[in-house]
Amino acid sequence: MNRPMMHLVDPQTGESNPADIRRVFDSQEATAIAWRESTIAERIARLKKLREAMMARRDDFYTAFQKDYRKPSSEVEATEFMPVLDEIRHAIGSLKKWAQPKRVWPTMATALTQSWIEVQPRGRVLIVAPWNFPLNLCFGPLVSALAAGNTVILKPSEMTPAVSTVMAEVIASIFAPNEVALFEGALPTSQVLLELPFDHIFFTGSPAVGKVVMAAAAKHLTSVTLELGGKSPVIVDETADLKLAAETLMWGKLANCGQTCVAPDHVFVHASVKDRFVQACRAVIAERYGNTPDAQRSSPHFARIINQRHTQRIAGLLSDAQSRGAKVLLGGEVDLAQCYIAPTLLEQVPAEASIMSEEIFGPVLPIITYSNVDEVVREINANPKPLALYVFSTNKARTRRLIGQTSSGGVAINHCVLHFAHGNLPFGGVNNSGIGSAHGEFGFKAFSHERAVLKSGPVLMAKLFFPPYTGFKQKIIRWTVDSLKLPSLF
């Protein structure tokens, strides 16, 4: 085993050394082959080491998140630590079941054979994580990859350097580079990594960058899991519990300052309840962050936008909407120097405003009034498939119809965001919002190859299909083909 080490970043460029990357990638090949036969106990031991090392740096992570974008420690616990620790707990308790071979019945054409499915680690895998939940979205997939028995190279975002440094120290303290390694850097480091023939790439980020990752993977026919994003819509109908809707949506929208891939992006509200819904949202924001602009700005419970560039982007969306006639119902304050955008509610946003076509990824919520829910369905279906759809209604038939008539990665009814934390549900997108699934057994499978195994029985029935094709064999083959029209026997 190689000695654990930290991978140094060039202070001039901020990038990892390409030679180091290639050397570590090459060194993981032998480990990946050896880990194909790793035991459940060995994999669980790795997960426990990760958990212990991560928890030992708890306070350091608090400090790092505060430094990178003033994320409250309670949100660090709830949205960074909790999901990763739950993944570890789930994997430790379920790994034996997930990894055991699964017997399957023979089909008509394979009668008298035995068959089963074995899961093997894919091998050397790359995990590219984003900046919005840097610990959760880096170590969460890492748990699945280790549970499946893979070696891993991690590439966190350069936009959260303090958190990335702590993660790098955690990894280096428990894994040798030929097992798990973390490389810091920006685009040049990512490009070097994407040139390598990994066995699987797990990427979380925007659809635009996801296309670049997929194109790079295609050069090596590398399989991919792409966790992307999109404009996740909300429907609040006239039967909804408005207090529940406001409480839940203001949490889902404003946690992490709106920088969440499954955050509610915009809300369609029935005209008959729109004013009451807005009032309920106002009350929730005032209760949680303060009832004046100054109080909200100084609230310790509200994070900041990751950097000035992204703050300027969101401010530009807000300004463009207002110039086209949108009305600010609440908030609207921007402090570029402090990367601050107030919790903001908009109405009367025209369809041509950029905020209605670009993923907001910030604490600005357009509220769109509707009278006919069929128009809402047409609007949703006219746009790329989102990562999530949220329906607030007590009308079960309508809710079922809305789910059936739309397409999204996931759905939450009278809730939002929480499906991400459900380890027994597949988390992922569809088309523009992603490819493949993560979490729990679905994450384990993402990093595994399901290998088909067939064993011949005592009588080799396939001999009946071997040449030379006598008249008798022709009759047997024809009879077999005709029998496939019958109902399944197995």
Side-chain angles (χ1 to χ4, degrees), residues 431-450:
N431 295 130
N432 191 72
S433 53
I435 296 173
S437 298
H439 300 175
E441 186 174 10
F442 304 97
F444 173 81
K445 287 186 175 182
F447 288 101
S448 300
H449 168 59
E450 294 183 275

Side-chain angles (χ1 to χ4, degrees), residues 480-487:
T480 302
V481 171
D482 288 343
S483 69
L484 295 177
K485 296 183 293 184
L486 300 173

Side-chain angles (χ1 to χ4, degrees), residues 288-308:
R288 294 177 184 172
Y289 305 110
N291 57 9
T292 67
D294 287 342
Q296 291 170 12
R297 182 190 296 265
S298 60
S299 172
H301 311 299
F302 191 56
R304 292 294 182 266
I305 302 300
I306 188 65
N307 55 35
Q308 289 188 355

